[in-house]
Amino acid sequence: AQSVTQPDIHITVSEGASLELRCNYSYGATPYLFWYVQSPGQGLQLLLKYFSGDTLVQGIKGFEAEFKRSQSSFNLRKPSVHWSDAAEYFCAVRHTGTASKLTFGTGTRLQVTL
Amino acid sequence: EPEVTQTPSHQVTQMGQEVILRCVPISNHLYFYWYRQILGQKVEFLVSFYNNEISEKSEIFDDQFSVERPDGSNFTLKIRSTKLEDSAMYFCASSAVVAASDTQYFGPGTRLTVL
């Protein structure tokens, strides 16, 4: 069965510092991968997604992610974090054989210090 | 920008009571989903719905749960007899097409508290 692991439960970075949030997936074929962000009291907003082509994908709010098949990873990065980036970040995988469910990781809570 | 809306934002109920959570998907979307997130845990898939039928459901989605699209705009999740363990944030989502690369757009969620 497909699964997603986000090894870091909580990360704290200083504003202006770079950020990398880790995501590893377990899936037999090429997965469709997503990063969502959840701000307090808000729903899940899509940051970016990968389904084919260039393994480095650009998203909204200055985020990017790189798909590495050899490492089964899809890490999210941002070169310079802003205080407004404080939120919970979820990596998710979607089965290529069905268009239905997303399987989410447990999330990483990002705290930004000023 | 179109968005998925959910009502109520917070629902408190007594154990054993029925609750209906409401969602208005994005207007031209055809595929609808419910997910839930128990406090401190991951977001979990409950059910997907298309063409007035359930497409897929998880083990969580037992006989106590049902979904319905009662009219052209609403999509509801009913829990017939709530249990303490049903306390969670419930998210509705919709997508335009069924392609796996398509984006699911999520609503802000309904926090259900069962006492």
Side-chain angles (χ1 to χ4, degrees):
Chain A
Q2 58 196 12
S3 66
V4 177
T5 301
Q6 293 180 249
D8 304 306
I9 297 172
H10 189 192
I11 284 183
T12 301
V13 300
S14 300
E15 189 175 41
S18 64
L19 171 70
E20 182 168 24
L21 302 182
R22 295 183 290 166
C23 173
N24 293 97
Y25 66 89
S26 172
Y27 182 60
T30 300
Y32 290 171
L33 295 159
F34 303 78
W35 274 100
Y36 282 85
V37 60
Q38 183 183 27
S39 298
Q42 303 294 313
L44 297 162
Q45 181 183 24
L46 180 71
L47 286 175
L48 47 78
K49 62 183 178 182
Y50 170 80
F51 53 94
S52 68
D54 194 345
T55 56
L56 183 64
V57 293
Q58 303 296 321
I60 62 171
K61 305 185 180 185
F63 285 92
E64 66 178 27
E66 186 171 13
F67 170 62
K68 292 185 177 180
R69 183 189 303 275
S70 61
Q71 299 177 18
S72 297
S73 69
F74 187 57
N75 294 348
L76 182 71
R77 301 195 294 248
K78 187 169 184 177
S80 177
V81 168
H82 188 263
W83 64 266
S84 60
D85 293 324
E88 184 122 23
Y89 291 79
F90 293 93
C91 183
V93 64
R94 199 170 187 185
H95 195 305
T96 53
T98 175
S100 287
K101 66 180 181 182
L102 289 165
T103 298
F104 285 87
T106 50
T108 297
R109 180 163 297 280
L110 174 65
Q111 184 176 357
V112 181
T113 57
L114 300 176
Chain B
E1 183 178 327
E3 58 183 19
V4 177
T5 59
Q6 291 185 243
T7 55
S9 58
H10 191 187
Q11 173 93 47
V12 181
T13 189
Q14 295 291 325
M15 190 169 55
Q17 295 296 304
E18 174 184 287
V19 295
I20 297 176
L21 309 183
R22 291 182 168 79
C23 168
V24 179
I26 294 172
S27 63
N28 63 340
H29 284 188
L30 301 175
Y31 301 88
F32 315 114
Y33 313 84
W34 284 102
Y35 292 80
R36 79 172 185 190
Q37 183 183 28
I38 296 172
L39 188 63
Q41 299 185 24
K42 65 173 69 176
V43 177
E44 302 172 289
F45 169 79
L46 291 178
V47 66
S48 60
F49 189 86
Y50 167 68
N51 199 25
N52 283 321
E53 290 183 345
I54 290 174
S55 303
E56 185 179 359
K57 60 183 181 180
S58 72
E59 294 173 351
I60 302 167
F61 195 87
D62 61 21
D63 292 344
Q64 292 299 311
F65 292 88
S66 63
V67 289
E68 189 179 28
R69 188 155 165 82
D71 52 43
S73 60
N74 289 282
F75 179 51
T76 62
L77 173 69
K78 182 192 291 186
I79 309 175
R80 290 189 181 82
S81 179
T82 50
K83 301 189 282 278
L84 295 176
E85 53 264 38
D86 293 328
S87 294
M89 181 75 89
Y90 288 80
F91 293 105
C92 174
S94 69
S95 63
V97 295
V98 76
S101 60
D102 193 40
T103 298
Q104 291 183 15
Y105 293 87
F106 285 77
T110 293
R111 179 164 297 284
L112 176 65
T113 302
V114 182
L115 302 176

